[in-house]
Amino acid sequence: MSQQMHYQPTPQGPNGHAHQAPRNGLGVAALILGIIGALSGIPMILFWLAGPLGLLALIFGLVGMSRVKKGQATNKGVAITGTILGALGIVLAVVGVIVTVLAVNKAVDEVNEEFDKKSGSSSNIKDLGAGQAAKYNNGLEVTVSKPTPFTVDKNTLISGHTEGNKAYKVTVTLKNTGDKAATNPLMLTDAEADGKKSEEVADDKHGILHHDWEKTLDPNETDSVEMVFDAPPSAKELSIKITPDILLDPANWKLAL
């Protein structure tokens, strides 16, 4: 008994070409990724997830829309929705980055401010004049007097003075205006004359070895040290930067010569 094989023709379109199944996968993927990306972007802190998912959704959605135009896909609405949600996810991710950066910067500023309060630090780096005080949060005040000409005695000179230059003496005063004792003040100085390095003159009474600061300054106690700096004869300004402690910010004085 012979068996008959039944042949069923493949459906064909109007141009005689075989019909293909709609390629709707990318449109669906765009919609799913777009939804997840947009939802991830709402909490802001998940911007790192919303950005990549939104970008993928946008790409897949655009490709899906392109397939719809070519007649290769039939889910136009799905592809468009996925594209929109992908773009929304990207926007939310950007906003999340901005908000996070601002929040981190604010937190850092608050930590620095709290540290300044505890350590006594101050951002008083602005230029000060003779006799003006740099005030710190812990109650310390530093002042520098007006420079006065100083005659260098070659017999007692140790270092810092160049032949032909002029020397100027200033008095640096440290005062504790706080209600607690200030311990171990440490004066770090750096000077310039008309923008060029100015050496501190050392002799038998002046110089870093004679910076004999009180180890502890009680409330309302004051201590002073005389310093001598070398400057070219044509110098018009002496700039002195002083840091009263390694935990404190420096203050700068610009003094006319």
Side-chain angles (χ1 to χ4, degrees):
M1 182 176 178
S2 63
Q3 295 181 345
Q4 286 187 331
M5 300 295 294
H6 295 281
Y7 171 77
Q8 184 159 346
T10 302
Q12 296 182 346
N15 297 327
H17 298 292
H19 283 297
Q20 293 183 347
R23 301 173 64 186
N24 294 333
L26 287 181
V28 174
L31 179 62
I32 296 174
L33 293 175
I35 293 174
I36 299 175
L39 292 177
S40 300
I42 294 176
M44 299 297 180
I45 59 174
L46 295 178
F47 64 86
W48 53 270
L49 179 61
L53 292 180
L55 180 60
L56 288 175
L58 180 63
I59 295 174
F60 289 170
L62 291 175
V63 176
M65 291 170 59
S66 175
R67 287 182 176 180
V68 171
K69 290 182 179 180
K70 296 178 180 179
Q72 299 174 347
T74 59
N75 58 346
K76 180 178 180 180
V78 172
I80 293 176
T81 304
T83 302
I84 295 174
L85 290 176
L88 178 60
I90 294 174
V91 171
L92 291 175
V94 172
V95 174
V97 170
I98 296 174
V99 171
T100 301
V101 170
L102 293 176
V104 170
N105 288 339
K106 183 178 180 181
V108 171
D109 291 340
E110 291 177 352
V111 171
N112 289 336
E113 183 177 352
E114 186 65 23
F115 176 78
D116 289 345
K117 290 180 180 180
K118 292 182 178 181
S119 66
S121 182
S122 169
S123 58
N124 187 14
I125 309 179
K126 65 180 181 180
D127 294 335
L128 301 170
Q132 292 183 319
K135 301 178 180 180
Y136 293 88
N137 296 331
N138 62 356
L140 285 179
E141 289 187 3
V142 184
T143 57
V144 179
S145 69
K146 179 181 179 180
T148 57
F150 178 81
T151 301
V152 177
D153 185 353
K154 296 181 180 179
N155 295 322
T156 60
L157 177 65
I158 299 175
S159 64
H161 179 63
T162 301
E163 185 70 27
N165 281 357
K166 294 182 178 180
Y168 296 89
K169 181 177 68 175
V170 298
T171 300
V172 179
T173 301
L174 181 64
K175 182 179 181 180
N176 181 11
T177 65
D179 55 4
K180 296 181 180 180
T183 58
N184 299 320
L186 173 65
M187 283 291 185
L188 303 176
T189 60
D190 186 26
E192 293 182 348
D194 287 354
K196 296 182 179 180
K197 175 69 175 179
S198 177
E199 299 292 339
E200 183 177 359
V201 177
D203 58 17
D204 59 348
K205 295 181 179 180
H206 305 93
I208 189 171
L209 295 179
H210 298 282
H211 294 177
D212 190 19
W213 294 99
E214 291 286 343
K215 294 302 180 182
T216 300
L217 279 180
D218 294 324
N220 296 318
E221 187 177 3
T222 300
D223 194 16
S224 298
V225 166
E226 290 184 346
M227 298 182 181
V228 179
F229 295 96
D230 202 44
S234 61
K236 302 297 182 183
E237 182 180 75
L238 180 64
S239 177
I240 301 178
K241 181 180 293 185
I242 294 178
T243 306
D245 191 278
I246 57 175
L247 294 178
L248 302 180
D249 293 333
N252 190 63
W253 285 260
K254 288 188 176 296
L255 310 171
L257 298 179

